[in-house]
């Protein structure tokens, strides 16, 4: 399964499904073609598996969708497409999100929530890898899990570089996560419509949101 | 098929005739027959099921799994160089000619995109003895990989020198090292080809049709 031919096959796709359909269909046809014909995809994304993808992600220096007149895809987008092809397991994605270099075993997001309160600076070496994992989560997982996994990331305020059609802009990781949770179209992809948080809270699937700034806001209101 | 085994003893006036090892050839015929029988059986079964029989070449047992490229492809190393090429170099894909060359398949491409597409193709993978399958990674492997990457990044950040003087030094050292390597390589080539000049020679064979 080194190349994407099986994934893009219109007639018979047999492999892991996301929400009952071929994962590649989460990207539009135009974007899929751009990615598959790009030099980065052909040279660097051939024969990747979940581990070697980390090498490529560690070399990323910006996020973005397509840019330029011709709609050239960014390496970020190509790697996201590769993740859609691979459909890694849940634990692997959590590892991408919350990797810390410790000797103890990481059991995913719970650890991270604790750490966020204690030490904001130790949040995983590779912030673009984290952004990539967040993008994949927003595309592939169920709403309850998306909210539960991505909300701790709203405390990550590192700067990230974003490539727009005309050039580069400055953005922040928590702004990117917020865009993923609220906007309709991020990084050249139309994000599938997700139920809003209030709806899920009414259905009792999620607890009401505890914002880290909640205490401060209450104090201000009291004054 | 030049398995000649000369009979010892025997009449002297037929010594010039070719002799064959009968045992080996009977064994080969038997193997061929059994394979044909199997194949005809498979064809029959396929016909009963209404499908067409495709003869599948078996993957060699020591085929390696495909892995991602570890380095970028160096496509610019021939830029600005002048070489002697034979007359038919500009046309056709087979054989060594002008452009990007793949040794395993003996094909030339005019474009680095074509070269990359060829490297990813089934034809080339078979020629290099790789299956087209990629090993699926486990969580442990991912963790190991991330740890290794982090260590590498730390080491690089420790090695890097800040300041113009330091960086100039490093660049100078790197240049000297590269020049040494090139000289060594050139000397090797000179030593290998007679006459002292490293001219690219195309191997046409000895022209005999076998």
């Amino acid at each position: 399964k080194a190349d994407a031919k099986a994934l893009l096959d219109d007639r018979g796709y047999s492999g892991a499904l996301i929400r009952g359909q071929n994962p590649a269909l989460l990207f539009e046809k135009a974007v899929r073609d751009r990615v598959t014909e790009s030099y980065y995809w052909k040279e660097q994304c051939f024969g990747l598996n979940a581990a070697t993808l980390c090498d490529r992600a560690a070399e990323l220096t910006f996020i973005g969708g397509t840019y330029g007149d011709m709609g050239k895809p960014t390496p970020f987008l190509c790697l996201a497409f590769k993740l859609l092809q691979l459909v890694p397991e849940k634990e692997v994605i959590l590892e991408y999100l919350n990797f810390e270099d410790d000797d103890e075993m990481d059991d995913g997001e719970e650890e991270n929530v604790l750490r966020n309160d204690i030490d904001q600076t130790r949040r995983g070496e590779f912030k673009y890898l984290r952004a990539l994992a967040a993008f994949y989560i927003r595309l592939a997982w169920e709403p309850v899990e998306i909210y539960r996994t991505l909300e701790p990331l709203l405390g990550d305020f590192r700067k990230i570089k974003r490539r727009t059609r005309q050039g580069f802009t400055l953005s922040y990781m928590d702004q990117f996560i917020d865009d993923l949770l609220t906007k309709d179209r991020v990084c050249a992809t139309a994000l599938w419509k997700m139920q809003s948080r209030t709806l899920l809270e009414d259905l009792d699937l999620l607890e009401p949101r505890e914002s880290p700034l909640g205490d401060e806001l209450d104090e201000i209101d009291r004054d | 098929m030049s398995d000649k085994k000369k009979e010892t003893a025997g009449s002297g006036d037929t010594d010039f005739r070719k002799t064959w090892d009968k045992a080996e050839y009977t064994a080969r015929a038997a193997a061929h027959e059994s394979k044909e029988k199997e194949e005809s059986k498979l064809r029959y079964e396929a016909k009963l099921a209404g499908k067409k029989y495709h003869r599948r070449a078996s993957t060699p047992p020591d085929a390696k799994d495909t892995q991602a490229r570890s380095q970028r492809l160096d496509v610019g190393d021939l830029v600005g160089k002048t070489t002697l090429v034979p007359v038919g170099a500009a046309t056709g894909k087979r054989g060594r000619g002008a452009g990007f060359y793949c040794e395993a398949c003996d094909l030339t491409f005019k474009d680095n995109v074509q070269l990359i597409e060829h490297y990813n193709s089934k034809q080339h993978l078979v020629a290099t003895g790789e299956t087209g399958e990629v090993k699926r990674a486990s969580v442990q492997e991912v963790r190991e990989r991330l740890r290794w990457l982090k260590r590498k990044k730390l080491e690089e950040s420790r090695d890097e020198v800040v300041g113009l003087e330091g960086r100039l030094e490093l660049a100078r050292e790197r240049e000297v090292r590269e020049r040494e390597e090139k000289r060594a390589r050139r000397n090797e080539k000179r030593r290998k080809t007679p006459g002292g000049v490293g001219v690219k020679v195309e191997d046409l064979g000895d022209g005999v049709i076998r």
Side-chain angles (χ1 to χ4, degrees):
Chain A
K1 314 173 263 116
D3 64 346
K5 221 165 29 139
L7 176 73
L8 299 169
D9 191 357
D10 282 333
R11 281 183 304 162
Y13 172 70
S14 55
L17 296 173
I18 291 186
R19 266 183 288 281
Q21 51 162 244
N22 185 350
L25 296 180
L26 285 167
F27 280 11
E28 291 133 18
K29 175 98 168 71
V31 178
R32 283 205 302 268
D33 289 342
R34 295 264 190 270
V35 169
T36 325
E37 288 162 3
S38 71
Y39 191 68
Y40 185 81
W41 174 264
K42 288 180 184 164
E43 190 194 358
Q44 304 273 55
C45 299
F46 181 76
L48 282 186
N49 66 1
T52 39
L53 196 142
C54 303
D55 301 4
R56 304 282 188 258
E59 294 160 8
L60 280 178
T61 51
F62 54 89
I63 67 173
T66 57
Y67 64 93
D69 277 337
M70 298 285 291
K72 190 157 171 218
T74 55
F76 183 81
L77 200 66
C78 297
L79 288 180
F81 193 62
K82 192 73 190 179
L83 275 181
L84 285 179
Q85 180 192 349
L86 292 175
V87 190
E89 291 109 19
K90 186 167 165 197
E91 289 85 28
V92 173
I93 299 291
L94 287 176
E95 192 67 32
Y96 285 170
L97 263 191
N98 300 320
F99 169 69
E100 307 274 353
D101 189 16
D102 301 320
D103 291 337
E104 58 207 83
M105 295 296 274
D106 241 311
D107 67 349
E109 36 163 327
E110 282 87 14
E111 284 272 42
N112 193 49
V113 171
L114 287 174
R115 292 241 178 75
N116 255 334
D117 298 327
I118 298 169
D119 188 357
Q120 290 280 13
T121 51
R122 299 174 69 230
R123 255 159 297 122
E125 273 300 302
F126 306 109
K127 54 189 180 187
Y128 293 103
L129 177 60
R130 194 179 234 214
L132 187 68
F135 188 49
Y136 176 77
I137 288 176
R138 173 63 175 89
L139 289 174
W141 289 7
E142 297 299 314
V144 178
E145 291 181 2
I146 295 178
Y147 278 114
R148 225 178 271 158
T149 328
L150 290 188
E151 263 165 20
L153 267 64
L154 286 170
D156 184 351
F157 45 75
R158 292 182 284 192
K159 292 186 193 172
I160 51 181
K161 193 155 74 163
R162 191 179 193 138
R163 183 146 204 180
T164 58
R165 242 173 292 147
Q166 278 85 22
F168 291 90
T169 46
L170 172 68
S171 176
Y172 298 86
M173 184 79 102
D174 48 359
Q175 170 133 32
F176 178 59
I177 308 282
D178 187 53
D179 287 347
L180 282 179
L181 289 175
T182 48
K183 277 206 198 152
D184 284 330
R185 217 184 148 75
V186 167
C187 285
T189 345
L191 304 173
W192 64 278
K193 290 199 81 59
M194 194 168 57
Q195 296 101 332
S196 71
R197 202 176 200 295
T198 43
L199 188 68
L200 291 172
E201 283 170 20
D202 291 340
L203 289 173
D204 272 335
L205 290 166
L206 276 179
E207 294 89 41
R209 171 124 200 259
E210 279 279 335
S211 164
L213 292 175
D215 304 333
E216 290 189 24
L217 287 174
D218 288 336
E219 276 194 41
I220 295 176
D221 287 338
R222 243 182 287 131
D223 296 339
Chain B
M1 308 296 147
S2 51
D3 251 331
K4 297 190 276 231
K5 190 163 111 183
K6 293 255 190 302
E7 308 275 349
T8 54
S11 45
D13 63 342
T14 51
D15 282 345
F16 59 93
R17 293 200 180 276
K18 213 175 192 190
T19 50
W20 287 270
D21 183 7
K22 295 209 174 87
E24 196 210 320
Y25 280 98
T26 37
R28 221 186 271 184
H32 185 74
E33 246 194 70
S34 65
K35 227 195 279 185
E36 285 246 327
K37 274 218 184 88
E38 261 193 55
E39 210 186 292
S40 65
K41 197 161 40 139
L42 288 172
R43 269 190 215 273
Y44 179 64
E45 284 172 8
K47 204 199 262 194
L48 285 183
K51 294 190 197 285
K52 186 165 175 233
Y53 169 73
H54 300 271
R55 186 181 340 155
R56 294 243 174 268
S58 50
T59 35
D62 58 346
K64 307 180 297 251
D65 276 330
T66 311
Q67 286 188 346
R69 258 172 270 281
S70 45
Q71 276 115 18
R72 305 294 306 262
L73 220 62
D74 189 13
V75 291
D77 60 349
L78 283 181
V79 172
K81 297 221 177 81
T82 323
T83 52
L84 279 177
V85 287
V87 140
T91 54
K93 277 195 340 197
R94 256 175 288 182
R96 203 189 195 317
F100 303 99
Y101 181 64
C102 170
E103 273 108 12
C105 316
D106 194 34
L107 291 170
T108 317
F109 299 97
K110 303 288 188 267
D111 193 359
N112 68 333
V113 180
Q114 286 180 5
L115 178 72
I116 271 280
E117 285 181 346
H118 165 75
Y119 279 160
N120 295 352
S121 70
K122 193 79 182 163
Q123 176 189 21
H124 182 81
L125 290 176
V126 164
T128 31
E130 288 188 354
T131 63
E133 307 284 321
V134 179
K135 195 161 91 73
R136 208 174 158 85
S138 67
V139 190
Q140 267 307 107
E141 288 173 21
V142 171
R143 212 170 278 165
E144 280 302 315
R145 195 85 189 188
L146 285 171
R147 276 206 199 110
W148 175 71
L149 283 170
K150 173 158 185 169
R151 214 181 322 136
K152 207 164 71 141
K153 198 166 125 171
L154 278 176
E155 280 172 21
E156 277 177 17
S157 67
R158 231 177 287 142
D159 285 339
E160 80 181 12
V161 181
V162 186
L164 191 58
E165 302 295 328
R167 278 186 284 150
L168 283 176
E169 268 294 322
L170 282 172
R172 239 174 282 146
E173 282 171 28
R174 214 184 317 136
E175 228 179 284
V176 169
R177 231 179 304 139
E178 278 178 12
R179 225 177 293 145
E180 289 296 330
E181 275 178 31
K182 258 208 242 170
R183 207 170 295 148
R185 244 183 287 149
R186 225 182 306 143
N187 288 341
E188 275 279 334
K189 245 201 322 199
R190 283 225 183 97
R191 237 177 295 132
K192 278 205 199 142
T193 58
V197 187
V199 173
K200 289 189 204 255
V201 178
E202 199 197 53
D203 188 344
L204 297 160
D206 52 359
V208 178
I209 304 172
R210 283 191 217 286

